[in-house]
Amino acid sequence: MGKRDQARADAAFARGDVGVDGAATEETKDVAEVEKGQAREQLLRGRAYLGRELLTWLLWRSETGDALVEHEGSGVNVLFMGRIILRGVAGDVTEMSAKGTLAPYSLQVKEALDKGLLVAQARIRFTHGEKEYEATLDSEFLDVRAAKLPALMSEEEDDQLNERLYLTEQLSAMVDALVNAFLEVRVGKTWSKQVVPAMKEWMKGDEQGADALSKASRARGKEARAARH
């Protein structure tokens, strides 16, 4: 067995797809769960393309101002702000940077997205209840950089340290919740038929983009309800 075949066999064993004898395990895995696991694995391994899809999807979804996910009983609102970096793999322009308070939602950025670029890095504000967090997310490994936490309420130094750790964990948990929400959509039936077309209309600035967004949102809600039953 060659090194590549051996590596594939080892990976299959690590995932539980085969037993120690090399035969397939008897347990049948749900197709959607397998796809979701593969998508998460790609993100964790730093396959930037899926991370760029995530950030682009977040930018699209955030423009409505609605809460994108719930965390500990409260909605999480997302706002892209300041500098945004777009990257692609082909075409005359493979990287673009835009600065400005509302630069991420500008016509120029949408036009660049429509031509094939995707969001590679962005400064994002997360609002959860009365607390606001800011962080720069990078699509390569979804690294959280230069985070800005809400003002501390504690006065004692030890209490401030614990509060800072708690707020850091909250920010990480919100990012995880958004990643999970994206993965559910990405492996769902509506991604190619409804979500991508709606995003393309939004990029083009068509008036029908808002209607397409609402339609895709309702479809996601139906999928989520179906999954719970």
Side-chain angles (χ1 to χ4, degrees):
M1 179 182 294
K3 292 183 178 180
R4 182 174 297 180
D5 292 336
Q6 183 62 52
R8 289 175 178 171
D10 292 342
F13 175 74
R15 293 193 302 268
D17 294 340
V18 299
V20 293
D21 59 351
T25 54
E26 294 182 357
E27 182 181 1
T28 301
K29 298 182 179 180
D30 182 81
V31 175
E33 288 300 318
V34 171
E35 291 181 351
K36 184 176 178 180
Q38 290 174 343
R40 176 178 289 279
E41 185 178 359
Q42 287 179 342
L43 280 174
L44 296 177
R45 286 184 177 181
R47 296 181 182 175
Y49 191 82
L50 193 57
R52 293 176 191 175
E53 283 190 346
L54 163 65
L55 292 181
T56 304
W57 176 81
L58 278 179
L59 176 63
W60 168 63
R61 292 283 287 112
S62 67
E63 194 172 49
T64 64
D66 297 332
L68 303 189
V69 294
E70 280 201 7
H71 175 63
E72 295 187 350
S74 296
V76 177
N77 295 74
V78 171
L79 176 67
F80 282 63
M81 51 190 296
R83 187 179 184 218
I84 186 170
I85 297 176
L86 312 179
R87 292 197 182 104
V89 295
D92 296 333
V93 178
T94 57
E95 182 168 320
M96 170 184 168
S97 176
K99 295 181 180 179
T101 305
L102 296 177
Y105 302 98
S106 67
L107 180 60
Q108 291 86 345
V109 166
K110 291 179 181 179
E111 288 177 346
L113 293 172
D114 188 41
K115 292 178 180 178
L117 298 183
L118 294 172
V119 180
Q121 187 181 104
R123 185 71 177 174
I124 302 176
R125 175 181 293 164
F126 305 87
T127 303
H128 181 238
E130 298 181 353
K131 291 184 171 62
E132 289 188 349
Y133 305 71
E134 290 182 17
T136 297
L137 288 186
D138 189 282
S139 64
E140 188 70 23
F141 294 98
L142 286 185
D143 291 333
V144 176
R145 303 176 180 176
K148 180 180 178 181
L149 301 175
L152 301 179
M153 304 297 292
S154 306
E155 297 182 359
E156 298 296 329
E157 185 174 349
D158 289 344
D159 293 337
Q160 287 183 345
L161 176 60
N162 290 331
E163 185 179 357
R164 192 173 288 108
L165 290 173
Y166 168 76
L167 292 173
T168 301
E169 291 173 353
Q170 288 292 295
L171 175 58
S172 178
M174 285 187 284
V175 172
D176 285 345
L178 290 166
V179 170
N180 287 332
F182 167 72
L183 291 177
E184 288 182 4
V185 174
R186 186 62 180 81
V187 302
K189 298 178 180 178
T190 63
W191 174 257
S192 59
K193 295 181 179 179
Q194 295 182 10
V195 178
V196 172
M199 290 176 67
K200 292 296 289 184
E201 290 193 8
W202 168 76
M203 292 172 189
K204 294 180 183 298
D206 292 347
E207 293 182 359
Q208 297 177 353
D211 293 336
L213 171 58
S214 298
K215 184 178 180 180
S217 298
R218 290 194 296 271
R220 284 193 297 273
K222 290 180 181 178
E223 279 193 10
R225 289 192 294 273
R228 289 195 293 266
H229 294 291

